[in-house]
Amino acid sequence: MAELPALQPLLAERKLEIGYSKKKPILHTLAKFMLKSLMCVIFFLWVAAIFALPTGIVRRLLSKFINGSIFGITGNIFLCFSAPILAVAILGFIYVAAFSGENVKRNTFKFPRYSLWTFPVLVDGPFGVISAAELIGILLLTIYVFWSITAYAVKDHGFIESFSLTLRDKSLLMLELIGLRLGLIGLFCLAFLFLTVARGSILLRMTDIPFEQAARYHVFLGHLTMAIFTLHGLFYVVVWALQGQLLQQILEWKEIGIANLPGVISLTAGLLMWVTSLRPVRRTYFQIFFYSHQLYVIFVVFLALHVGDFIFSYAAGAIFLFILDRFLRFCQSRTTVDVLSAACHPCGTLEFILSKPPRLRYNSLSFIFLQVRELSWLQWHPFSVSSSPLDGTHHLSVLIKVLGDWTAKLSDIIASVSEPSQKLDPRPEFKGRITASVEGPYGHELPYHLMYENLILVAGGIGISPFFAILSDILHLSSEGKACFPKNILVIWAVKKSKELSLLSTINNAHSISPSFSEKLHLEIQSYVTQESEPPSLEEGRFAEKVDYTPLLGDSNNSISCLVGTGNNFWGGIYVLVSTIGFIVFYALLELYYIKPFQVFAWWYRGLLFTLCMVASAVIPGSIVIYLWNKWERRMSSGSERWMINTNNEKKSGAATNDEKENITSVQTIRYGLRPDFPAIFSSFGERLGHANVGVIVCGPPGLQSSVARECRRQNTRGKSSSPIFHFNSHSFDL
């Protein structure tokens, strides 16, 4: 295996150019506008149909369409409530493939403007920092739930009053009808729940919502959905108990109509997922939360058995997109990835350098899920990428803080491999290698950190990791002579112990990347050591150390797969399109040659067949596309020579040099025994800039995020026209 020469270029090609937008040909602009408008119209019509379904007009129109169309009840409901979101997904791939390589627009308005997505409104709520746009979304969803319940209740009350029933019978029937309506509302909430949990979803990429942000929406939607489904089941249980038929009704499994027992099983699985996902349980017993969440398979399958195929079609589109995403992630995660080298930093942090193909696309604010098979075949842990995509075409690095059992065992493995003579418990099965699998990278579709001319990066502890990638990215762009990149950067880094400051040495030598970076940008790093009152006497406040990187590369020549994350848009679109067509064909054949000839009327059985068709269409036609996709990727990468990264050279060692201008620590100031004074820091930074846009990115614990968000909100609401606009962005991943 050849080592990479010092003069070998490592800079990856980047299609995306950051700059001020240039005028495009009229046909190009028109095509982009028409495609985007078409997706918006389809999506908003879909949402409007869901919102207006409780009204009598929409229900009558839907009834006429269902009964008068040739596709049958299941096909018609699928066409109305599932096909639109699949159409948006397919059009989304076309849009991203055609227009994602264009220049990113930087705000060039004379007066800086607020953004609903980056203006923090609630900072201390149970779901963390909530922006104005997120608050609007939460309010709209809440309004939908209450509006639907109210509209259905009014309609059902009028329906019940038309019968001559006793007050008790009217009350029981009303409770039963409310439970029925809650089940339908829960199905629509379930659709949005699955849209947010698909990690590589084109819908998230198209709207530039990274999965770590969508995970927060998934938590909120999960609580809302399970609360609605729990009330749905509770209303029926109360009615059955008052009628003296509780056990009989719970165990009932009807052929025609709703099957109760599968619903009980589905709700039980959902409740187990819900209880174990509550913050106290999730924080203390993460493995219980993780493994119990795999019950989603039982939850979905028995839900289909409970309601049958045509009712399940209300939410089938979103669930189908999740199935496609999950199978794609499964195929990517089955491949092993070479760990080129690893290092144990004295501060208790591990650094992994992983092999990646040159065609793998990701942005600096991306993260991956990592599995180490020597530790567990089931555990996957998310880590931020600490290297810029411009650092090299063949490698990607992550920093891992040793905090729990999994990371502690990983540290022991690296130590045992790097120091075999000092091993107390030799484990020959390692054989000088670590078998890793990677899922991702995931992140923003666009490098939004480059859209701001002024940046404040706030990190707590290991939260500095993604900011290393940002700084390296900016230094590379500076060396390439790019016109637009952040010119004023303030890094605020709070750590507990001074030894953690040595992580700054993991950034490649700044002077070697951009010899005159200090002339092109104003970079300042303020470090705060909160649990030490004075610097260690020997180091005199500077922390640069030489770290030995242990080569772990074998002969397997495996790199990260390009299947998910920001993978190939063409093949991703073909995968979704072919699988969707396969699903339609499979179910049509099933209807023509099995359901109708053999007169299959059982709702639960039709629901099972419907679910099996969704899975089969992802596995069978999808596997063919994935096979061709992998074959094409290998062919495209075959002409690229693969190099082993020499991680023990001076650039990666972080050793101190005689010329401090070549070291990133030359712009670092360290304060001991103090915490960052955000009001003073933000005010000072704002006074220097005047009225301008400032991007604020935070990566750290919830308390740090809340403090920074609160200060951004305070600064933005002071009402001074000469003050900058602070745009809050969070980059902390929390399952």
Side-chain angles (χ1 to χ4, degrees):
M1 186 68 66
E3 290 190 352
L4 184 64
L7 298 179
Q8 174 69 27
L10 272 176
L11 296 186
E13 294 182 1
R14 171 177 288 199
K15 292 183 178 180
L16 189 63
E17 295 290 343
I18 308 300
Y20 299 96
S21 59
K22 299 178 181 179
K23 291 185 178 180
K24 297 289 183 180
I26 185 65
L27 291 178
H28 178 277
T29 305
L30 183 62
K32 181 178 180 180
F33 173 78
M34 293 295 291
L35 184 56
K36 189 173 183 179
S37 300
L38 179 60
M39 289 187 293
C40 291
V41 168
I42 295 174
F43 180 78
F44 285 115
L45 285 177
W46 176 63
V47 174
I50 294 174
F51 198 92
L53 186 60
T55 63
I57 297 176
V58 174
R59 292 184 65 83
R60 284 192 294 271
L61 291 174
L62 180 63
S63 179
K64 290 181 180 179
F65 176 76
I66 289 176
N67 296 324
S69 178
I70 63 174
F71 300 107
I73 296 177
T74 302
N76 292 328
I77 293 178
F78 186 88
L79 190 62
C80 290
F81 294 99
S82 289
I85 202 64
L86 295 175
V88 172
I90 294 170
L91 292 174
F93 275 109
I94 299 174
Y95 181 84
V96 172
F99 305 112
S100 65
E102 296 185 0
N103 289 0
V104 177
K105 293 182 180 179
R106 176 178 290 175
N107 190 340
T108 58
F109 297 113
K110 183 177 181 180
F111 299 103
R113 298 185 178 184
Y114 294 103
S115 171
L116 293 177
W117 285 102
T118 59
F119 190 97
V121 177
L122 303 178
V123 298
D124 297 313
F127 300 103
V129 180
I130 303 296
S131 69
E134 292 167 342
L135 181 61
I136 292 173
I138 292 173
L139 291 176
L140 288 176
L141 190 58
T142 306
I143 290 172
Y144 160 71
V145 172
F146 283 102
W147 141 255
S148 299
I149 293 175
T150 304
Y152 281 129
V154 171
K155 178 181 179 297
D156 293 336
H157 180 267
F159 172 74
I160 293 173
E161 290 298 323
S162 64
F163 295 95
S164 298
L165 300 173
T166 64
L167 180 61
R168 182 178 184 274
D169 290 339
K170 287 182 179 180
S171 300
L172 292 178
L173 182 57
M174 188 66 183
L175 287 176
E176 194 168 352
L177 288 175
I178 292 176
L180 176 66
R181 306 308 186 186
L182 285 171
L184 182 60
I185 296 170
L187 279 177
F188 290 128
C189 293
L190 186 70
F192 287 99
L193 177 71
F194 274 95
L195 288 179
T196 57
V197 79
R199 296 176 184 173
S201 171
I202 185 61
L203 300 178
L204 298 180
R205 292 178 54 197
M206 188 175 58
T207 53
D208 201 28
I209 298 177
F211 176 66
E212 71 267 21
Q213 188 173 338
R216 296 173 57 239
Y217 307 154
H218 176 74
V219 171
F220 171 77
L221 286 166
H223 290 309
L224 178 64
T225 303
M226 285 313 305
I228 292 174
F229 277 141
T230 301
L231 289 175
H232 161 72
L234 188 61
F235 274 96
Y236 276 99
V237 168
V238 170
V239 172
W240 296 336
L242 292 175
Q243 292 175 340
Q245 301 177 354
L246 180 59
L247 184 60
Q248 176 186 348
Q249 289 287 350
I250 285 179
L251 298 178
E252 190 175 41
W253 195 313
K254 296 179 181 178
E255 293 288 320
I256 306 298
I258 301 296
N260 294 335
L261 183 56
V264 173
I265 297 173
S266 176
L267 182 59
T268 302
L271 288 174
L272 286 173
M273 289 190 291
W274 190 21
V275 171
T276 56
S277 67
L278 297 176
R279 182 176 290 270
V281 180
R282 187 176 73 248
R283 293 282 184 177
T284 309
Y285 306 102
F286 181 82
Q287 293 305 316
I288 295 178
F289 155 74
F290 177 80
Y291 292 124
S292 64
H293 242 59
Q294 310 312 310
L295 292 172
Y296 75 86
V297 177
I298 295 177
F299 176 80
V300 171
V301 171
F302 279 89
L303 175 63
L305 299 178
H306 172 56
V307 299
D309 56 336
F310 74 93
I311 297 179
F312 189 70
S313 296
Y314 282 106
I319 296 175
F320 182 61
L321 286 178
F322 169 77
I323 292 174
L324 295 179
D325 176 78
R326 188 64 189 89
F327 182 67
L328 203 61
R329 287 160 43 201
F330 171 80
C331 293
Q332 186 197 35
S333 63
R334 292 307 90 195
T335 61
T336 58
V337 177
D338 289 333
V339 181
L340 301 180
S341 62
C344 293
H345 291 265
C347 61
T349 300
L350 310 176
E351 184 175 4
F352 265 32
I353 299 181
L354 304 168
S355 174
K356 78 173 186 69
R359 297 182 59 83
L360 182 70
R361 292 179 54 245
Y362 71 96
N363 292 321
S364 295
L365 285 172
S366 297
F367 68 94
I368 62 172
F369 282 84
L370 182 67
Q371 176 206 66
V372 177
R373 298 185 179 180
E374 282 76 11
L375 299 178
S376 172
W377 282 73
L378 298 176
Q379 293 188 41
W380 292 83
H381 296 265
F383 299 103
S384 295
V385 176
S386 61
S387 61
S388 164
L390 300 180
D391 281 337
T393 57
H394 299 90
H395 73 281
L396 174 151
S397 64
V398 295
L399 293 174
I400 303 173
K401 181 71 173 179
V402 179
L403 292 174
D405 294 338
W406 188 86
T407 52
K409 293 177 182 177
L410 183 60
S411 178
D412 292 340
I413 291 176
I414 296 176
S416 67
V417 172
S418 60
E419 300 177 8
S421 60
Q422 301 179 16
K423 287 190 299 181
L424 300 177
D425 182 20
R427 301 175 70 180
E429 64 268 24
F430 297 146
K431 299 179 182 179
R433 290 175 49 79
I434 293 178
T435 308
S437 294
V438 172
E439 191 182 297
Y442 303 105
H444 283 270
E445 182 69 16
L446 302 174
Y448 74 93
H449 60 284
L450 300 178
M451 299 180 187
Y452 300 104
E453 190 166 354
N454 311 289
L455 270 182
I456 296 180
L457 309 177
V458 185
I462 194 60
I464 194 67
S465 176
F467 297 157
F468 291 162
I470 287 180
L471 294 177
S472 182
D473 209 28
I474 293 171
L475 290 172
H476 279 295
L477 292 174
S478 171
S479 67
E480 294 174 5
K482 300 297 182 182
C484 289
F485 55 87
K487 301 298 195 303
N488 298 288
I489 306 170
L490 172 62
V491 181
I492 304 170
W493 185 18
V495 297
K496 293 181 179 179
K497 300 294 183 179
S498 57
K499 62 181 181 180
E500 297 180 53
L501 299 177
S502 62
L503 287 178
L504 196 60
S505 64
T506 59
I507 300 181
N508 283 345
N509 193 297
H511 188 269
S512 65
I513 298 176
S514 180
S516 57
F517 78 91
S518 60
E519 300 175 3
K520 299 178 182 179
L521 60 92
H522 183 272
L523 173 62
E524 181 183 359
I525 302 176
Q526 296 182 9
S527 300
Y528 294 83
V529 183
T530 60
Q531 295 185 3
E532 293 181 4
S533 58
E534 57 184 16
S537 57
L538 295 179
E539 277 125 318
E540 298 179 353
R542 296 297 177 188
F543 303 90
E545 59 188 17
K546 182 176 177 60
V547 178
D548 291 327
Y549 288 77
T550 304
L552 299 172
L553 180 63
D555 298 325
S556 56
N557 201 29
N558 292 326
S559 297
I560 300 174
S561 171
C562 297
L563 290 181
V564 299
T566 54
N568 186 285
N569 296 316
F570 172 79
W571 283 105
I574 294 295
Y575 170 70
V576 173
L577 179 61
V578 169
S579 298
T580 303
I581 295 174
F583 168 65
I584 296 172
V585 171
F586 284 168
Y587 195 75
L589 293 175
L590 198 67
E591 280 276 359
L592 291 174
Y593 297 104
Y594 180 66
I595 293 178
K596 289 184 178 180
F598 292 92
Q599 296 183 345
V600 178
F601 294 111
W603 285 22
W604 69 268
Y605 187 48
R606 290 172 64 99
L608 177 62
L609 294 175
F610 190 88
T611 307
L612 291 176
C613 283
M614 289 199 300
V615 176
S617 60
V619 173
I620 300 174
S623 295
I624 297 173
V625 176
I626 291 173
Y627 171 77
L628 297 175
W629 186 350
N630 279 324
K631 191 173 182 180
W632 182 82
E633 289 287 355
R634 287 194 296 268
R635 182 178 179 183
M636 296 300 295
S637 301
S638 60
S640 176
E641 185 178 358
R642 188 167 174 271
W643 302 91
M644 176 179 177
I645 306 301
N646 182 9
T647 51
N648 270 316
N649 60 22
E650 184 180 359
K651 287 175 63 177
K652 290 298 295 180
S653 68
T657 60
N658 294 328
D659 186 4
E660 281 218 345
K661 291 183 180 180
E662 296 181 356
N663 200 311
I664 198 72
T665 57
S666 62
V667 296
Q668 181 189 30
T669 58
I670 305 174
R671 296 174 174 85
Y672 292 87
L674 298 174
R675 296 182 180 275
D677 184 358
F678 292 117
I681 294 172
F682 277 61
S683 297
S684 175
F685 193 78
E687 290 174 0
R688 188 169 74 242
L689 296 178
H691 196 45
N693 283 312
V694 179
V696 180
I697 307 177
V698 186
C699 186
L704 179 65
Q705 296 181 52
S706 297
S707 298
V708 175
R710 189 180 299 108
E711 183 57 30
C712 289
R713 186 181 62 184
R714 190 186 73 86
Q715 292 284 344
N716 291 340
T717 55
R718 289 192 306 170
K720 292 184 179 181
S721 59
S722 60
S723 300
I725 304 297
F726 292 92
H727 299 268
F728 176 85
N729 300 272
S730 173
H731 185 65
S732 297
F733 187 89
D734 184 21
L735 280 174

